[in-house]
Amino acid sequence: MGATANGSSAQPFNFLIYGRSGWIGGLLGKLCEAQNIQYTYGSGRLENRASLLSDIAAVRPTHVFNAAGVTGRPNVDWCESHKVETIRTNVAGTLTLADVCRENNLVLINYATGCIFEYDEAHPLGSGIGFKEEDTPNFIGSFYSKTKAMVEDLLKNYDNVCTLRVRMPISSDLSNPRNFITKITRYEKVVDIPNSMTILDELLPISIEMAKRNLTGIWNFTNPGVVSHNEILEMYRDYIDPGFSWKNFTLEEQAKVIVAPRSNNELDASKLKQEFPELMSIKESLIKYVFSPNRKTSVA
């Protein structure tokens, strides 16, 4: 045990992470290495209780992180035709992990989604009125979102779970096909709607800090404010590729080429901002963490 400044002994952190092959899970391991935090990737299947118990017995973690889940490849439309597989991981698996963690007095940091809301009369597009943590999800247009809303509602009853509502995640790695920016630069056409989004380079270190503080409950895990698809693509053009151009289409036109509707919303990030006052607005964070480090043009 290392001694802290006031002389009391501090328990070293030891994280058990699920989702080794996933984007967020992989980034979490790198962050732990950078911070010299001991971590192990879980080998158990989320829906297999015995395998989770054996992971916990072997690792004896101080905290558990769940970055495993089915989002579907290449996109959430996959979940529409693979409903049982989606339920097995996103509902049964996540609940089993939360339950095993509670039994072992462990805080579970669960990377969830904010794609369970859509703009409505009380939260109109462009109004700046975002959905709060306690609001009831109003978007079940896709089976993926339906399972996520279902499990969030059940997890509210577990006082050991920290639910982080991630949206349209973005990172500085513009070669990653899961990166929202990379996705929309490759689309033939994009809709242009302001949304709340999550800059992983800024927010994932915050999630580690949340574990250290043993924070629980539901958190809108996005940067404050919204940014539209076109605004991101304009930044991409200005910082990365001056010759880049794109075409827009309407939600009605988009609906003809996707199986399931997509969620568009603004989440109110004031709870997270109050806990972490240094949290940057979405546009500031995009420039600082994504576009400035990747700049290929001389002047933006």
Side-chain angles (χ1 to χ4, degrees):
M1 290 287 190
T4 54
N6 60 9
S8 64
S9 63
Q11 182 186 25
F13 295 105
N14 179 14
F15 295 164
L16 174 58
I17 301 170
Y18 287 93
R20 170 184 224 143
S21 60
W23 183 23
I24 287 178
L27 290 172
L28 275 176
K30 288 178 182 158
L31 282 171
C32 288
E33 280 164 25
Q35 293 188 31
N36 291 320
I37 296 170
Q38 192 177 333
Y39 74 99
T40 308
Y41 283 114
S43 54
R45 302 287 304 168
L46 293 192
E47 62 275 16
N48 181 334
R49 190 180 187 95
S51 71
L52 300 181
L53 286 166
S54 116
D55 278 347
I56 286 169
V59 175
R60 301 184 63 191
T62 58
H63 299 80
V64 179
F65 288 75
N66 180 29
V70 170
T71 54
R73 295 286 173 93
N75 56 46
V76 294
D77 285 343
W78 180 91
C79 300
E80 302 297 317
S81 53
H82 297 78
K83 291 184 174 174
V84 171
E85 296 96 317
T86 305
I87 291 169
R88 187 179 294 136
T89 304
N90 290 357
V91 182
T94 305
L95 288 173
T96 303
L97 182 59
D99 198 60
V100 164
C101 287
R102 188 171 186 273
E103 206 174 70
N104 286 274
N105 296 315
L106 291 166
V107 167
L108 171 65
I109 305 290
N110 184 48
Y111 297 96
T113 184
C115 293
I116 50 178
F117 295 99
E118 63 182 341
Y119 290 117
D120 62 11
E121 283 179 12
H123 310 82
L125 192 152
S127 66
I129 302 167
F131 289 91
K132 290 184 159 40
E133 279 76 6
E134 53 278 9
D135 286 335
T136 303
N138 68 347
F139 176 76
I140 49 167
S142 71
F143 190 72
Y144 167 79
S145 291
K146 193 186 268 189
T147 63
K148 290 293 197 172
M150 210 181 286
V151 80
E152 182 182 282
D153 189 48
L154 291 167
L155 285 177
K156 278 185 206 160
N157 302 294
Y158 283 82
D159 56 7
N160 63 311
V161 176
C162 181
T163 293
L164 303 180
R165 289 175 176 164
V166 174
R167 283 212 78 229
M168 298 181 167
I170 290 169
S171 87
S172 54
D173 177 7
L174 294 178
S175 63
N176 190 309
R178 310 306 300 269
N179 190 335
F180 180 74
I181 297 177
T182 312
K183 282 184 185 177
I184 63 171
T185 56
R186 293 176 181 176
Y187 288 162
E188 198 180 325
K189 293 180 180 174
V190 294
V191 291
D192 182 35
I193 301 176
N195 269 287
S196 284
M197 302 187 191
T198 303
I199 307 295
L200 296 177
D201 302 68
E202 181 173 16
L203 281 145
L204 282 187
I206 284 177
S207 66
I208 289 178
E209 185 57 36
M210 292 173 89
K212 292 176 178 178
R213 295 182 193 181
N214 290 319
L215 298 173
T216 56
I218 295 173
W219 297 78
N220 286 337
F221 202 61
T222 56
N223 291 83
V226 290
V227 64
S228 73
H229 296 57
N230 279 9
E231 285 172 314
I232 288 180
L233 293 173
E234 281 161 14
M235 288 185 202
Y236 184 85
R237 181 192 61 206
D238 293 345
Y239 281 83
I240 313 289
D241 179 4
F244 183 77
S245 65
W246 64 95
K247 291 184 187 134
N248 288 128
F249 64 161
T250 63
L251 279 173
E252 293 70 30
E253 290 168 320
Q254 183 196 42
K256 293 174 184 165
V257 297
I258 55 177
V259 178
R262 302 294 194 257
S263 149
N264 292 291
N265 69 56
E266 176 170 357
L267 296 183
D268 182 333
S270 49
K271 177 180 172 183
L272 191 65
K273 175 82 175 169
Q274 196 171 349
E275 184 73 30
F276 297 94
E278 68 278 14
L279 182 62
M280 298 175 94
S281 74
I282 183 63
K283 289 173 191 172
E284 290 173 321
S285 194
L286 270 168
I287 289 168
K288 178 177 176 181
Y289 290 99
V290 182
F291 287 115
S292 287
N294 281 297
R295 181 197 284 268
K296 290 189 171 59
T297 57
S298 53
V299 181

